[in-house]
């Protein structure tokens, strides 16, 4: 999701002070080490007895050995596709110059760099993924907050209980049940279209994982097990055990522990309240401060970094409200993405955030895995804590209290004086970064994927082409567009970029803005644009994309100290529109017909460019799409709410090209809400609850 920002900034991580020394090692040695790391990972999974034919109930890693390796595309094809992708956004002069650089690259350097990549693809599990993790994420010196992390939301319209401690108890218990199933490999492997298995390697680091800051690069620390969570509340840190006599605590017992924290009147110690702001600081700064912290407060630091995950019990409510639905959703998104800059431990693999009114959310660190992995865990968590564990009629977790449980342990931080100024500086920087983010969330409920299916179109392609129309209306020009696609059809595959701003999409947008063009003409161009996007998406998923190949070629060129003006130009590009669809992977866990409001509303991420947008979207059931938009308030060129308005208008205009969709505009105009901001999503759900017997609150 947030990877576009990191992809833009990774080039500086290769040229920052000291980094060049580490890249002076022979490239063959680096390729050898990549393969060695791959074989170590394989041996660690050997106990799973990986099986290609696994019977009726395959385990999580059953198909790993059957997955093919990600192919290295033809360098000529990659350069050709790259030139095709930038043609719509470059002037004739700039394009001709880029083409000259590309031909020079093919003639002088491509063959040598390609040879090393082919060698690595033969020796290592994946020719690009370990370098992607290292150079795009771990070597980045930018703050994690906003730049790298992303968030996941709770149910949009329903809060199963208003009791903060109860919601935390059920959610933590559900997360640990997921971890138990993960450890036993009882999570079924994901099959694309029910047939093609996807790589499961990223699941290994969901829990017990922390990104440890380094001066030049970070590293990921993963523990085999952890039997506690770290909790933050009103500036204080606690260690809460999750097991008793080697069995998982019940939801009611966990609720009891969280309630004890909420009831604890002790104040935060000096500077303890803002300590976590250090995890939102530039990574080199945090690494230097952490050395002192590890010496002076080793036990408390280990309790946080060694926890299964981090829990933040917020003192404020969040979520959708009747009084101001649009503003309340925007504030909810901002609270999940950035918080107050000092109430999340951004290094942890994820932070579970529980607001005072029982609303939930996640803040996820990006380096260890991509959104579908945390999304899969989050779907299980929401379904389990609400439908399986449930709540009593008074809103508490089911079960009984355990008076024998020891109280949560308050962590003590012996903070040396020299750290105090570092905390203050980190907090100031975090607040500046947080206050500069403009988040906007809106549900669009006039149609969804069921209508798009009736038009015999891809839902994702439909949205991507509509986004091109919306962005053109917002900025008056086309721009490079980043859409994240997964490459998990291959062993240890992560993501590839779909460059959605195609010549075909631009032709459609121009036609829509040309009053002389008829609807049938625009519709024909729209179908061509959708077909092109589908072809690019399939190519990306099958390992024939552009950007990961060019990235790996660039890394090899830096190891060899070869200067390539073409590759340098490629990796200086800015993604002014970064997009991602959040997949719903386990619809069988939710009853969208009887309980249509019990579906996650997705999540979002920060913009990849200071003058750009970050846009994510999720199809909620058959008839709703929720959009998450972010931008920088400091930019005079962007406005998240303005783009949201353009997205709504673009969706309606595109739908009206189809005979079956012409009534959407009439229905919208007949609602009498033309002038209210982002009104579509709130038309049908402002009155009361859907059929449910659960203890729940709306809004």
């Amino acid at each position: 999701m947030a990877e576009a920002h990191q992809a833009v900034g990774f080039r500086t991580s290769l040229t920052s002070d000291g980094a060049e020394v580490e890249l002076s090692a022979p490239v063959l040695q680096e390729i050898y080490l990549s393969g060695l790391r791959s074989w170590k990972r394989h041996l660690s999974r050997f106990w799973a007895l990986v099986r290609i034919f696994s019977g009726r109930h395959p385990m999580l890693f059953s198909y790993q050995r059957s997955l093919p390796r990600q192919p290295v595309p033809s360098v000529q094809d990659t350069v050709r596709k790259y030139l095709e992708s930038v043609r719509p956004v470059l002037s004739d002069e700039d394009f001709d110059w880029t083409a000259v650089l590309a031909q020079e690259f093919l003639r002088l350097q491509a063959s040598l760099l390609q040879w090393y990549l082919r060698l690595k693809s033969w020796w290592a599990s994946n020719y690009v993924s370990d370098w992607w993790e290292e150079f795009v994420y771990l070597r980045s010196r930018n703050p994690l907050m906003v730049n790298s992390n992303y968030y996941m939301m709770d149910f949009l319209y329903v809060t199963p209980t208003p009791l903060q401690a109860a919601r935390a108890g059920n959610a933590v218990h559900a997360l640990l049940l997921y971890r138990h199933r993960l450890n036993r490999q009882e999570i079924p492997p994901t099959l694309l279209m029910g047939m093609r298995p996807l790589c499961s390697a990223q699941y290994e680091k969901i829990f017990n994982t922390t990104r440890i800051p380094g001066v030049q690069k970070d590293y990921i620390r993963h523990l085999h097990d952890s039997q506690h969570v770290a909790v933050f509340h009103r500036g204080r840190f606690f260690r809460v055990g999750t097991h008793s006599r080697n069995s998982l605590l019940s939801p009611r017992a966990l609720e009891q522990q969280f309630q004890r924290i909420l009831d604890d009147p002790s104040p935060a110690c000096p500077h303890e309240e803002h300590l976590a702001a250090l995890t939102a600081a530039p990574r080199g700064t945090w690494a230097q401060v952490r050395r002192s912290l590890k010496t002076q407060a080793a036990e408390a630091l280990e309790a946080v970094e060694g926890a299964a995950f981090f829990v933040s019990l917020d003192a404020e409510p969040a979520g959708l409200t009747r009084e101001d639905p649009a503003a309340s959703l925007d504030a909810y998104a901002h609270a999940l993405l950035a918080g107050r800059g000092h109430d999340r431990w951004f290094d942890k693999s994820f932070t579970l955030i529980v607001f005072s009114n029982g609303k939930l959310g996640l803040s996820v660190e990006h380096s260890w895995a991509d959104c579908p992995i945390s999304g899969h865990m989050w779907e299980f968590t929401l379904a389990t804590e609400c439908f399986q564990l449930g709540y009593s009629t008074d809103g508490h977790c089911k079960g009984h209290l355990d008076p024998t449980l020891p109280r949560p342990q308050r962590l003590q931080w012996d903070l040396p004086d020299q750290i105090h100024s570092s905390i203050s500086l980190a907090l100031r920087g975090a607040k500046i970064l947080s206050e500069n983010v403009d988040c906007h969330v809106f549900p669009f409920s006039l149609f969804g994927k069921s209508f798009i299916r009736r038009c015999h179109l891809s839902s994702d392609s439909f949205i991507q082409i509509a986004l091109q129309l919306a962005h053109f209306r917002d900025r008056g020009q086309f721009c490079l567009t980043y859409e994240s696609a997964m490459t998990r059809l291959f062993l240890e595959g992560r993501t590839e970029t779909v460059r959605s701003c195609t010549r075909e999409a631009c032709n459609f947008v121009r036609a829509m803005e040309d009053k002389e063009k008829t609807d049938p003409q625009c519709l024909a161009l729209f179908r061509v644009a959708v077909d092109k996007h589908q072809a690019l998406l399939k190519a990306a998923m099958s390992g024939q994309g552009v950007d990961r190949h060019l990235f790996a070629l660039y890394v090899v060129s830096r190891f060899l100290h070869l200067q390539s003006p073409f590759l340098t130009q490629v990796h200086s590009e800015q993604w002014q529109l970064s997009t991602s669809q959040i997949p719903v992977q386990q619809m069988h866990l939710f009853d969208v017909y009887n309980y249509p409001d019990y579906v996650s509303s997705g999540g979002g991420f920060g913009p990849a460019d200071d003058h750009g947008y970050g846009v994510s979207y999720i199809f909620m059931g058959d008839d709703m799409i929720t959009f998450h938009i972010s931008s920088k308030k400091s930019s005079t060129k962007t406005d998240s709410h303005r783009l949201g308005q353009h997205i709504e208008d673009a969706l309606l205009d595109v739908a009206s090209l189809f005979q079956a969709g012409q009534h959407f505009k009439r229905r919208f105009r007949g609602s009498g809400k033309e002038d209210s901001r982002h009104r579509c999503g709130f038309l049908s759900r402002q009155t009361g609850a859907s059929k449910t017997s659960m203890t729940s609150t709306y809004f």
Side-chain angles (χ1 to χ4, degrees):
M1 293 179 71
E3 64 195 35
H5 188 284
Q6 300 299 103
V8 169
F10 96 91
R11 191 169 66 93
T12 59
S13 71
L14 292 176
T15 56
S16 59
D17 293 342
E20 191 70 40
V21 175
E22 294 192 34
L23 296 189
S24 63
V27 65
L28 288 176
Q29 176 182 331
E30 176 62 27
I31 291 173
Y32 168 77
L33 293 175
S34 292
L36 198 61
R37 290 190 292 266
S38 298
W39 286 107
K40 284 183 178 179
R41 286 192 296 271
H42 293 164
L43 289 174
S44 70
R45 298 189 202 115
F46 184 74
W47 61 271
L49 299 176
V50 178
R51 294 164 291 177
I52 296 178
F53 301 103
S54 311
R56 296 176 58 189
H57 301 290
M59 300 170 71
L60 179 61
F61 296 118
S62 290
Y63 297 110
Q64 289 298 99
R65 290 287 178 88
S66 68
L67 294 173
R69 298 188 182 190
Q70 187 166 336
V72 180
S74 159
V75 69
Q76 289 81 10
D77 286 347
T78 294
V79 170
R80 174 183 56 79
K81 292 176 182 177
Y82 170 79
L83 291 174
E84 179 184 341
S85 73
V86 298
R87 187 64 189 94
V89 300
L90 294 180
S91 65
D92 291 344
E93 181 180 357
D94 289 341
F95 179 78
D96 290 343
W97 176 243
T98 303
V100 169
L101 294 180
Q103 292 306 313
E104 182 183 65
F105 168 72
L106 289 174
R107 180 171 58 87
L108 298 178
Q109 298 155 328
S111 297
L112 176 63
L113 303 181
Q114 183 79 345
W115 183 84
Y116 281 107
L117 285 190
R118 292 192 182 280
L119 178 64
K120 186 185 178 187
S121 72
W122 172 80
W123 174 243
S125 298
N126 192 289
Y127 83 90
V128 64
S129 289
D130 61 330
W131 284 349
W132 184 255
E133 178 183 288
E134 177 180 352
F135 294 109
V136 170
Y137 293 110
L138 300 182
R139 282 185 180 268
S140 172
R141 302 295 80 196
N142 293 323
L144 299 185
M145 187 181 78
V146 177
N147 296 315
S148 179
N149 74 311
Y150 58 93
Y151 65 87
M152 307 289 288
M153 279 188 171
D154 195 357
F155 300 122
L156 182 59
Y157 296 107
V158 176
T159 305
T161 177
L163 302 182
Q164 184 177 18
R167 195 82 198 276
N170 262 9
V172 169
H173 188 85
L175 284 165
L176 294 173
L177 287 177
Y178 187 89
R179 187 180 69 168
H180 178 73
R181 296 186 63 188
L182 179 63
N183 292 340
R184 295 172 59 86
Q185 296 194 51
E186 294 173 351
I187 298 172
T190 303
L191 302 178
L192 184 66
M193 307 296 290
M195 296 179 290
R196 293 283 302 275
L198 302 184
C199 180
S200 300
Q202 294 180 51
Y203 283 92
E204 294 177 346
K205 296 178 181 178
I206 295 180
F207 297 95
N208 326 324
T209 298
T210 304
R211 176 170 169 172
I212 305 297
V215 175
Q216 296 178 6
K217 78 170 186 176
D218 299 351
Y219 71 92
I220 296 177
R221 179 193 182 203
H222 174 69
L223 303 179
H224 176 69
D225 191 22
S226 175
Q227 297 199 355
H228 75 276
V229 294
V231 181
F232 180 89
H233 176 250
R234 292 191 181 274
R236 305 159 306 162
F237 293 81
F238 296 84
R239 183 189 189 277
V240 176
T242 56
H243 291 70
S244 177
R245 302 183 185 88
N246 294 322
S247 62
L248 179 61
L249 290 182
S250 69
R252 190 69 175 96
L254 288 168
E255 177 190 352
Q256 173 184 332
Q257 296 295 73
F258 292 127
Q259 190 61 53
R260 284 173 168 176
I261 293 175
L262 295 175
D263 294 339
D264 187 335
S266 61
C269 297
H271 299 282
E272 178 188 15
E273 179 181 2
H274 301 141
L275 176 66
L278 291 168
T279 68
R283 303 304 289 171
T285 301
W286 169 215
Q288 293 174 342
V289 177
R290 183 179 172 277
R291 290 176 179 174
S292 299
L293 199 61
K294 192 173 182 180
T295 301
Q296 301 291 329
E299 183 178 348
L301 182 64
E302 176 59 25
V304 173
E305 294 182 342
F309 51 90
F310 196 76
V311 179
S312 180
L313 298 176
D314 274 27
E316 302 295 330
L320 185 64
T321 64
R322 282 193 176 90
E323 294 75 22
D324 195 344
S328 62
L329 273 184
D330 298 349
Y332 181 25
H334 187 275
L336 294 176
L337 182 63
R340 289 173 290 175
H342 63 85
D343 48 0
R344 318 278 185 257
W345 199 271
F346 289 102
D347 292 355
K348 289 301 293 181
S349 54
F350 67 90
T351 295
L352 173 69
I353 303 161
V354 189
F355 296 95
S356 62
N357 60 345
K359 212 68 180 172
L360 290 180
L362 282 187
S363 174
V364 187
E365 200 281 308
H366 209 322
S367 64
W368 58 274
D370 301 307
C371 178
I373 305 302
S374 54
H376 190 279
M377 174 195 71
W378 192 232
E379 289 173 5
F380 175 92
T381 301
L382 291 179
T384 300
E385 68 96 12
C386 185
F387 293 108
Q388 295 187 25
L389 300 178
Y391 299 89
S392 61
T393 55
D394 58 1
H396 289 284
C397 297
K398 296 178 180 179
H400 303 283
L401 298 174
D402 185 353
T404 66
L405 278 179
R407 298 184 66 85
Q409 176 189 352
R410 173 79 183 273
L411 301 184
Q412 302 298 324
W413 302 89
D414 183 10
L415 301 177
D417 292 340
Q418 63 266 30
I419 287 183
H420 297 174
S421 61
S422 299
I423 294 174
S424 298
L425 287 173
L427 179 62
R428 189 180 312 161
K431 285 185 175 179
I432 292 173
L433 187 58
S434 172
E435 291 170 359
N436 193 30
V437 180
D438 181 22
C439 293
H440 182 50
V441 181
F442 70 95
F444 179 90
S445 63
L446 288 181
F447 63 83
K449 64 182 179 182
S450 62
F451 164 73
I452 300 174
R453 279 199 302 260
R454 292 199 301 273
C455 297
H456 305 289
L457 296 170
S458 158
S459 299
D460 183 67
S461 297
F462 186 102
I463 299 299
Q464 284 292 323
I465 306 305
L467 287 177
Q468 291 300 315
L469 177 59
H471 185 270
F472 184 83
R473 289 172 173 174
D474 182 80
R475 296 289 294 273
Q477 62 184 23
F478 298 107
C479 71
L480 283 176
T481 303
Y482 187 111
E483 181 190 5
S484 179
M486 64 91 180
T487 54
R488 288 171 56 209
L489 287 168
F490 304 104
L491 183 61
E492 296 184 10
R494 288 198 63 162
T495 62
E496 177 58 276
T497 305
V498 178
R499 293 175 167 240
S500 301
C501 184
T502 62
R503 180 180 57 187
E504 293 78 3
C506 294
N507 290 339
F508 163 72
V509 170
R510 292 191 186 98
M512 289 292 287
E513 300 301 276
D514 185 348
K515 295 181 180 180
E516 295 183 1
K517 295 293 185 181
T518 64
D519 282 0
Q521 289 175 312
C522 292
L523 179 57
L525 291 172
F526 180 73
R527 290 191 178 278
V528 171
V530 166
D531 290 343
K532 177 64 175 180
H533 179 267
Q534 272 288 286
L536 291 178
L537 179 60
K538 291 177 181 177
M541 293 176 62
S542 60
Q544 300 300 315
V546 170
D547 288 271
R548 299 303 175 270
H549 188 200
L550 291 175
F551 160 79
L553 290 168
Y554 182 73
V555 172
V556 174
S557 75
R558 297 311 305 265
F559 275 116
L560 296 174
H561 302 288
L562 292 178
Q563 296 298 319
S564 170
F566 171 70
L567 292 177
T568 299
Q569 176 171 312
V570 168
H571 290 102
S572 64
E573 294 172 339
Q574 301 297 313
W575 301 97
Q576 293 189 0
L577 182 58
S578 176
T579 69
S580 180
Q581 181 189 168
I582 300 177
V584 179
Q585 305 169 76
Q586 303 169 92
M587 283 306 299
H588 64 280
L589 297 179
F590 303 93
D591 186 350
V592 296
Y593 297 102
N594 291 316
Y595 307 106
D597 297 331
Y598 287 83
V599 181
S600 172
S601 47
F605 53 92
D609 183 74
D610 287 343
H611 300 288
Y613 291 106
V615 180
S616 66
Y617 49 95
I618 183 173
F619 292 93
M620 299 172 60
D622 287 335
D623 299 304
M624 181 178 287
I625 313 165
T626 298
F627 290 88
H628 300 250
I629 306 171
S630 67
S631 62
K632 295 288 184 69
K633 293 179 181 178
S634 57
S635 174
T636 59
K637 300 178 180 179
T638 58
D639 184 310
S640 297
H641 294 81
R642 186 182 69 211
L643 180 64
Q645 188 70 66
H646 286 307
I647 290 174
E648 285 188 353
D649 293 339
L651 290 171
L652 290 168
D653 288 344
V654 171
S656 67
L657 297 176
F658 299 85
Q659 185 175 2
Q662 292 176 357
H663 72 284
F664 291 127
K665 270 194 173 182
R666 294 194 297 270
R667 173 182 162 192
F668 168 66
R669 288 169 179 157
S671 68
K673 299 181 181 286
E674 292 90 336
D675 297 326
S676 64
R677 180 174 292 171
H678 305 313
R679 57 282 176 198
C680 293
F682 306 108
L683 297 181
S684 61
R685 307 214 193 255
Q686 296 270 2
T687 57
S690 59
K691 17 179 204 176
T692 175
S693 59
M694 300 180 182
T695 301
S696 59
T697 57
Y698 268 65
F699 301 96

